[in-house]
Amino acid sequence: MAFYLNYNTHFFFKFSLLFSLLSFSFSQSDVVEAPSPAADSCNGIFLSYAYSSGTKLKPTDPTHQPYRFESVLTVLNNGDEELKSWKVSVEFQNDEFLVSASNAVLADGTSLPANVGNGTVFAGFPMSDLKTAIETAGDLTQMQVQVQLLGTQFGVAAPDVPLPKNIQLANDGFICPKASMQGKNEMQVCCRKDPKFKANVTVDEEFLPKQSGDLTIMYDVTRTYDSNYWAQVTVSNHNPLGRLDNWKLSFDWMRDEFIYTMKGAYPYVVDSSDCIFGTQGQHYRDLDFANVLNCERRPTIIDLPPTKANDTTLGLIPNCCRNGSILPPSMDPSKSSSVFQMQVFKMPPDLNRSELSPPQNWKINGTLNPDYKCGPPIRVSPSQFPDPSGLPSNTTAVASWQVVCNITQPKGASPKCCVSFSSYYNDSVVPCRTCACGCPSNTARTCSTTAPAVLLPPEALLFPFENRTAMAQAWADLKHRTVPNPMPCGDNCGVSINWHVLTDYSRGWSARITIFNWDETAFPDWFAAVQMDKATRGFQKMYSFNGSALELNGVNNTIIMQGLPGLNYIVGETDGANPKKDPRVPGKQQTVISFTKKNTPGINIAAGEGFPSKVFFNGEECALPSVFPTNNSNREGFTTILSIFLAVFVFIMLHQ
């Protein structure tokens, strides 16, 4: 029998159903923990994760069967303060592959689809702030967000339910007990404010304070119109050992925006075809898309060369156009940031000058630089800039967002540089570790990826790895050592650094550091750093580099170094004098470093205390050998080491 409900009756029915669902309390006799309170009894931030449905997927695999899953993550603010930039941690445990998530993005900047099997953190987008019932008269559309999740999980078949281990609020200043089950398909938790937490922002402040990190990105809207706006992007390096070379910056447009023009940087790909054949072309019918720079949903931005710094069309932006080099502030504060501007066109329904939305899922990287993981954009107080006319006043941005990025070591990632050790008291060099920077995929017939690196004669360091085999075997025969068969694989590093303990006497000692560039890419404005647990306090001077002690996190154990004028450029690897028979020649720089024992009494150089515990090149931590040279009182090697030192010195002098 057909029946009809008028609008008011329909609304009342839906509201009553929602209220009954929120108020309903499940009981589980087989659950040991007390059930989490339902939403109406939670006076904090209420979270729930409810599994909706799932089906078996192809291919059939009894050991790793895939299943589709659909779930809903609910975040409800029942507290007395607005929850700004909400973040929720979901501890997935079934090798989940997330395909889509409504009303949220991944907080680590990863674009969907993505593997989240080890857990992930969701951040709100586009609604990142949740208001209270007090300030909205209980309007759930402003207090609550529901994230519809769709993905693939492995191994959990019906009637079992693929729930995460736990869910909790990831914002600072909250305490969350372990989530408890509500029936078989849902888990809930009520998070409350931590009374011991001291926030650096007052309740009345409109925006969150700016955060600190290894690298920050400011997205400042400087001019806005109904259909487009101008944004200034500032990338600032705050890590004293962090660095970027040839940086590439990427992000996701979430609302079909596109880049019309830019100053101070440029898209890696100039392409407007996605607009021409997409909804943008249908809306902006009179716009000449031949002038549009980029219409990709995820564009990649690169820096301009210095020759474009004063270009009236592309340049004239302070701190732009440095070939993508961002130096650490400890090296040169004036070169520790990079700036560019872009004109962004918007799409309906955002055609209003106050409708502003920053791109999401930011990622930045460079060549032979640390890896960065970036959080979501957080709305902060509008930035202020010096007045362009020179007046003693500041110009305020229309709106500002901050992205905080921190150096991270991805799981399974290999270093990009390595270190070898040698000393005056042992005539063998401890080379870089086997496969220190990774190994080629097919090595079964050519080399061993597990055999330890073979000790080398000092002169072998001047040759590429493929030219060292005969020298290594001859050296092993001379020293009556056996070599593995097959021989170990090389280190496969673009940069290698040799640390040589040069002398040791009653009042001091010295070391020599040599940097080899085995790649064809040169390194302008390079820097290196070493951490020495006991020796740094005795550092005196360097002879060919600028060197100084650097305090990190309150510990004075780091020495940073860079080339003197004329020596701050390491060339790439080049052909030998006769390419048909001579091996390729690496770019190189070296210096001697002197130490005093006055401030480090009892230091035992021969026992290994003259070797660094960490070595960095251009911000990248290098792989160290697992052993030190042994003190066998063999002084014969001093003459050989000295000859290599002189050879490198002469090479540098001849190529200046």
Side-chain angles (χ1 to χ4, degrees):
M1 182 179 67
F3 62 94
Y4 299 88
L5 292 174
N6 62 32
Y7 175 83
N8 291 332
T9 306
H10 181 61
F11 177 82
F12 178 79
F13 175 77
K14 290 179 67 178
F15 182 82
S16 300
L17 178 61
L18 174 63
F19 183 81
S20 63
L21 286 173
L22 292 174
S23 305
F24 189 76
S25 177
F26 293 88
S27 62
Q28 281 280 110
S29 59
D30 57 340
V31 176
V32 178
E33 291 185 271
S36 178
D40 63 339
S41 60
C42 174
N43 288 323
I45 308 300
F46 176 78
L47 307 178
S48 71
Y49 182 98
Y51 173 75
S52 303
S53 63
T55 55
K56 186 177 179 180
L57 300 175
K58 294 293 184 180
T60 301
D61 184 352
T63 62
H64 200 57
Q65 179 62 46
Y67 297 88
R68 172 192 173 102
F69 76 90
E70 296 181 41
S71 300
V72 179
L73 173 67
T74 302
V75 187
L76 172 65
N77 184 6
N78 276 347
D80 57 0
E81 293 180 8
E82 183 178 4
L83 178 63
K84 296 180 183 293
S85 298
W86 69 263
K87 291 184 291 186
V88 172
S89 170
V90 178
E91 299 178 18
F92 290 112
Q93 59 179 337
N94 301 303
D95 199 18
E96 284 87 348
F97 187 81
L98 190 61
V99 175
S100 65
S102 66
N103 301 318
V105 294
L106 300 189
D108 65 358
T110 303
S111 299
L112 295 179
N115 192 333
V116 295
N118 292 323
T120 193
V121 176
F122 292 97
F125 179 84
M127 195 166 88
S128 59
D129 302 337
L130 299 179
K131 297 184 179 297
T132 67
I134 298 171
E135 59 186 334
T136 64
D139 183 0
L140 284 177
T141 62
Q142 301 182 66
M143 298 165 52
Q144 174 183 275
V145 65
Q146 289 191 317
V147 182
Q148 306 286 337
L149 303 176
L150 171 65
T152 303
Q153 56 89 9
F154 291 85
V156 182
D160 295 329
V161 178
L163 292 175
K165 287 182 182 179
N166 195 24
I167 57 173
Q168 60 181 345
L169 193 67
N171 295 67
D172 293 333
F174 287 87
I175 299 176
C176 301
K178 184 174 177 58
S180 58
M181 295 298 300
Q182 297 294 301
K184 292 183 177 181
N185 291 7
E186 183 175 359
M187 59 197 319
Q188 300 176 348
V189 65
C190 180
C191 301
R192 295 180 173 86
K193 288 188 294 185
D194 183 355
K196 298 180 180 179
F197 179 76
K198 294 182 179 180
N200 57 353
V201 59
T202 62
V203 177
D204 296 332
E205 290 188 36
E206 185 177 358
F207 305 110
L208 288 173
K210 294 179 181 178
Q211 303 295 310
S212 58
D214 293 324
L215 183 141
T216 58
I217 303 171
M218 289 300 302
Y219 190 84
D220 298 303
V221 175
T222 56
R223 286 175 284 168
T224 180
Y225 311 96
D226 285 345
S227 63
N228 66 89
Y229 64 86
W230 277 89
Q232 177 166 298
V233 180
T234 304
V235 183
S236 301
N237 182 16
H238 305 288
N239 188 296
L241 296 180
R243 177 190 175 118
L244 281 169
D245 293 283
N246 304 115
W247 58 256
K248 290 183 178 180
L249 178 68
S250 58
F251 45 76
D252 286 338
W253 295 118
M254 307 299 286
R255 305 184 69 80
D256 295 329
E257 300 97 330
F258 59 93
I259 301 173
Y260 185 77
T261 188
M262 296 184 70
K263 294 174 71 69
Y266 216 64
Y268 187 69
V269 175
V270 177
D271 184 8
S272 60
S273 59
D274 287 349
C275 287
I276 295 173
F277 299 104
T279 56
Q280 296 92 338
Q282 297 174 12
H283 178 74
Y284 292 102
R285 293 183 179 274
D286 298 329
L287 186 67
D288 185 0
F289 281 93
N291 298 323
V292 172
L293 287 183
N294 187 276
C295 290
E296 294 175 303
R297 184 179 184 272
R298 185 172 183 82
T300 297
I301 310 300
I302 58 175
D303 198 12
L304 293 173
T307 53
K308 297 295 183 181
N310 295 318
D311 188 289
T312 55
T313 302
L314 297 176
L316 296 178
I317 302 295
N319 297 326
C320 85
C321 314
R322 293 173 176 160
N323 266 339
S325 292
I326 302 179
L327 304 183
S330 58
M331 185 175 172
D332 189 343
S334 67
K335 296 181 180 179
S336 63
S337 64
S338 190
V339 181
F340 66 89
Q341 296 177 354
M342 58 183 177
Q343 186 180 16
V344 180
F345 270 71
K346 302 183 293 183
M347 287 288 291
D350 297 337
L351 300 183
N352 183 305
R353 67 184 59 200
S354 62
E355 288 293 333
L356 301 170
S357 178
Q360 301 288 316
N361 303 328
W362 293 72
K363 182 177 179 60
I364 189 167
N365 54 33
T367 58
L368 199 72
N369 298 132
D371 290 293
Y372 291 88
K373 180 175 287 188
C374 300
I378 303 298
R379 186 79 180 268
V380 295
S381 299
S383 300
Q384 292 188 340
F385 309 98
D387 192 284
S389 66
L391 294 174
S393 63
N394 290 330
T395 302
T396 303
V398 177
S400 298
W401 288 264
Q402 184 195 41
V403 177
V404 177
C405 306
N406 287 302
I407 295 174
T408 184
Q409 183 70 26
K411 186 177 180 181
S414 299
K416 300 167 187 173
C417 54
C418 65
V419 180
S420 61
F421 287 156
S422 57
S423 67
Y424 72 91
Y425 52 76
N426 193 312
D427 55 358
S428 292
V429 175
V430 179
C432 291
R433 296 201 312 259
T434 302
C435 296
C437 299
C439 263
S441 56
N442 185 13
T443 60
R445 298 182 181 180
T446 57
C447 62
S448 170
T449 60
T450 57
V454 177
L455 298 180
L456 298 173
E459 61 270 20
L461 295 180
L462 298 173
F463 295 88
F465 178 81
E466 55 268 22
N467 298 100
R468 296 177 184 175
T469 303
M471 286 184 284
Q473 291 175 334
W475 189 252
D477 292 341
L478 182 64
K479 298 297 180 180
H480 306 291
R481 300 189 188 102
T482 59
V483 295
N485 186 18
M487 291 283 281
C489 297
D491 53 71
N492 295 299
C493 296
V495 171
S496 63
I497 298 174
N498 174 248
W499 181 273
H500 176 71
V501 176
L502 191 61
T503 62
D504 183 19
Y505 50 96
S506 60
R507 292 181 296 176
W509 62 283
S510 65
R512 187 190 69 243
I513 184 170
T514 307
I515 303 171
F516 298 93
N517 181 10
W518 302 101
D519 204 346
E520 294 183 353
T521 303
F523 293 107
D525 293 321
W526 63 270
F527 80 94
V530 294
Q531 288 186 358
M532 307 186 73
D533 298 331
K534 295 186 178 181
T536 300
R537 287 173 298 174
F539 168 70
Q540 284 185 309
K541 65 178 298 186
M542 295 186 187
Y543 296 89
S544 299
F545 299 164
N546 270 328
S548 59
L550 182 66
E551 185 175 294
L552 293 177
N553 301 320
V555 180
N556 185 16
N557 68 344
T558 304
I559 302 172
I560 188 170
M561 62 195 81
Q562 56 184 307
L564 293 168
L567 294 174
N568 61 345
Y569 192 92
I570 302 180
V571 300
E573 188 183 48
T574 58
D575 287 332
N578 186 344
K580 292 184 178 180
K581 65 176 183 177
D582 293 337
R584 288 174 64 81
V585 179
K588 59 182 77 67
Q589 294 283 4
Q590 71 173 194
T591 189
V592 173
I593 312 172
S594 62
F595 296 84
T596 178
K597 293 183 178 178
K598 181 179 179 180
N599 300 324
T600 56
I603 189 169
N604 191 339
I605 301 302
E609 293 178 355
F611 291 98
S613 56
K614 287 186 178 182
V615 176
F616 300 85
F617 181 77
N618 279 0
E620 175 76 15
E621 185 174 351
C622 305
L624 296 180
S626 55
V627 296
F628 298 128
T630 57
N631 183 6
N632 58 7
S633 300
N634 185 351
R635 305 303 291 261
E636 174 191 354
F638 179 76
T639 303
T640 307
I641 293 291
L642 184 59
S643 65
I644 299 304
F645 167 71
L646 292 174
V648 174
F649 179 77
V650 170
F651 177 90
I652 293 174
M653 296 303 293
L654 290 175
H655 287 76
Q656 284 189 11

